[in-house]
């Protein structure tokens, strides 16, 4: 969690010309091009935070929130595994904890609220979670839902596709080509859960992203080279502000319109279960 906030603080210092902070993992893969994504975001209100969240703690209480861990990596130079203390603690009574996946799309204003500490709660929560496993799954949902300023800006969906198991004890499973149509039809911007070098990734590249085998980047409006000469269209760069959205923007737009409908949007914000 501290590493994520540190990365966000660096971005705040480097540039003022961005609106959303997207917390991607190495195994997250895009389902739309960068031009598709930027095109849709450019038409959205800049105060919307896309964060899956729930107040239902369930098994997390005994496995993640009550156990106390010590992370020597916070104060030692060498890498050392975390270890658990023998004691356990009670859940907080001064505020309600919310939980969700680590992936989220956060506004610049909210990131500044967490990093700059304009009120004391983000720092208080960070200290509380400093001895908690998987703290990132609790931090952003709890800060959002505990703030009168931001709780009405949260959309209970992070635009990430995950394949759930209905019968297995494992919550999610690896994605494969059988789920390609369902994944695309979800309107998600990213997906998670692919096996290393799975053929479905090549299919996403070719059918959704327009990236040919061997190309390192996804083509966009900034690519100016003539691809008919057997060279990459992105070997010559143009204006990065030029967008050339494709079908992916239509899928993403339909999904966001569904999420922003009054009946769904307001009824799923920071619900106490």
């Amino acid at each position: 969690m501290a590493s994520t906030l540190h990365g966000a603080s660096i971005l705040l210092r480097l540039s003022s010309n961005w609106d959303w902070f997207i917390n991607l993992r190495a195994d997250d893969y895009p389902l739309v091009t960068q031009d598709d994504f930027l095109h849709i975001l450019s038409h959205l209100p800049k105060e919307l935070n896309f964060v899956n969240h729930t107040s239902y703690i369930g098994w997390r209480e005994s496995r993640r929130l009550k156990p106390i861990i010590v992370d020597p990596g916070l104060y030692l130079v060498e890498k050392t595994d975390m270890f658990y203390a023998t004691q356990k603690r009670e859940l907080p009574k001064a505020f309600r904890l919310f939980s969700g996946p680590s992936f989220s799309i956060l506004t610049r204003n909210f990131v500044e609220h967490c990093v700059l500490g304009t009120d004391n709660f983000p720092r208080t929560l960070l200290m509380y979670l400093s001895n908690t496993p998987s703290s990132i799954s609790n931090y952003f949902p709890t800060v959002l839902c505990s703030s009168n300023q931001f709780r009405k800006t949260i959309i209970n969906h992070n635009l990430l596709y995950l394949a759930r198991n209905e019968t297995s004890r494992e919550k999610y499973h690896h994605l494969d080509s059988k789920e390609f149509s369902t994944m695309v039809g979800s309107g998600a911007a990213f997906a998670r859960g692919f096996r290393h070098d799975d053929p479905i990734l090549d299919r996403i590249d070719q059918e959704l992203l327009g990236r040919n085998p061997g190309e390192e980047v996804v083509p966009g409006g900034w690519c100016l080279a003539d691809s008919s000469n057997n060279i990459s269209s992105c070997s010559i760069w143009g204006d990065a502000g030029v967008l050339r959205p494709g079908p992916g923007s239509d899928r993403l737009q339909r999904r966001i319109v569904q999420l922003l409908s009054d009946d769904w949007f307001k009824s799923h914000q920071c619900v106490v279960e």
Side-chain angles (χ1 to χ4, degrees):
M1 188 64 248
S3 298
T4 301
L5 290 176
H6 181 63
S9 68
I10 292 175
L11 289 177
L12 289 172
R13 293 183 180 182
L14 287 177
S15 174
S16 60
N17 190 27
W18 58 272
D19 298 304
W20 277 279
F21 175 78
I22 304 176
N23 184 27
L24 293 168
R25 291 193 338 192
D27 57 345
D28 296 329
Y29 209 77
L31 302 179
V32 297
T33 68
Q34 182 169 297
D35 283 12
D36 293 335
F37 199 43
L38 290 175
H39 173 70
I40 297 302
L41 289 182
S42 67
H43 290 84
L44 288 177
K46 299 300 187 289
E47 70 270 11
L48 296 178
N49 293 280
F50 295 84
V51 182
N52 282 46
H53 62 282
T54 177
S55 67
Y56 176 70
I57 301 300
W59 59 269
R60 299 177 185 87
E61 177 178 340
S62 59
R63 296 185 187 179
R64 291 185 178 178
L65 297 172
K66 286 190 173 182
I68 301 174
I69 64 167
V70 178
D71 184 4
L74 295 174
Y75 54 86
L76 295 180
V77 175
E78 63 272 13
K79 185 177 180 180
T80 306
D81 291 337
M82 296 182 294
F83 59 89
Y84 284 82
T86 56
Q87 300 88 353
K88 291 191 176 182
R89 60 182 176 179
E90 296 298 318
L91 294 181
K93 296 180 180 179
F95 53 88
R96 177 178 290 275
L97 288 169
F98 285 78
S99 182
S102 60
F103 180 91
S104 54
I105 301 175
L106 306 170
T107 64
R108 181 188 179 91
N109 287 340
F110 177 66
V111 171
E112 288 180 333
H113 175 75
C114 294
V115 172
L116 302 181
T118 50
D119 69 38
N120 199 44
F121 183 69
R123 294 186 180 184
T124 300
L125 183 62
L126 185 62
M127 288 188 290
Y128 173 79
L129 294 175
S130 62
N131 298 110
T132 304
S134 303
S135 58
I136 196 170
S137 64
N138 297 101
Y139 183 78
F140 291 128
T142 302
V143 175
L144 280 165
C145 289
S146 300
S147 169
N148 291 330
Q149 178 183 355
F150 292 104
R151 63 181 301 146
K152 296 300 182 182
T153 70
I154 185 171
I155 296 178
N156 199 351
H157 197 289
N158 58 6
L159 302 180
L160 176 73
Y161 180 83
L162 284 169
R164 290 181 175 271
N165 287 325
E166 300 297 335
T167 58
S168 172
R169 293 180 62 183
E170 294 293 331
K171 191 173 183 181
Y172 302 104
H173 62 264
H174 288 295
L175 300 174
D176 55 36
S177 296
K178 297 178 182 177
E179 295 177 76
F180 184 81
S181 297
T182 304
M183 181 175 61
V184 174
S186 71
F190 300 91
R192 176 182 295 175
F194 300 100
R195 294 182 178 87
H196 180 67
D197 282 341
D198 193 287
I200 192 176
L201 298 175
D202 295 328
R203 187 176 179 185
I204 292 173
D205 281 349
Q206 296 175 17
E207 298 185 24
L208 303 183
L209 305 181
R211 177 164 57 184
N212 297 319
E215 287 187 335
E216 295 183 357
V217 297
V218 174
W222 51 275
C223 300
L224 299 181
D226 186 358
S227 58
S228 62
N229 296 327
N230 295 324
I231 61 174
S232 172
S233 61
C234 299
S235 59
I236 300 177
W237 290 21
D239 184 357
V242 176
L243 302 179
R244 191 179 297 126
S249 65
D250 296 331
R251 298 194 305 270
L252 184 58
Q253 178 181 343
R254 288 193 296 269
R255 185 65 180 123
I256 291 179
V257 168
Q258 292 175 350
L259 295 174
L260 289 178
S261 63
D262 289 340
D263 292 342
W264 198 96
F265 177 39
K266 295 180 180 179
S267 63
H268 287 73
Q269 289 179 320
C270 303
V271 176
V272 176
E273 300 180 36

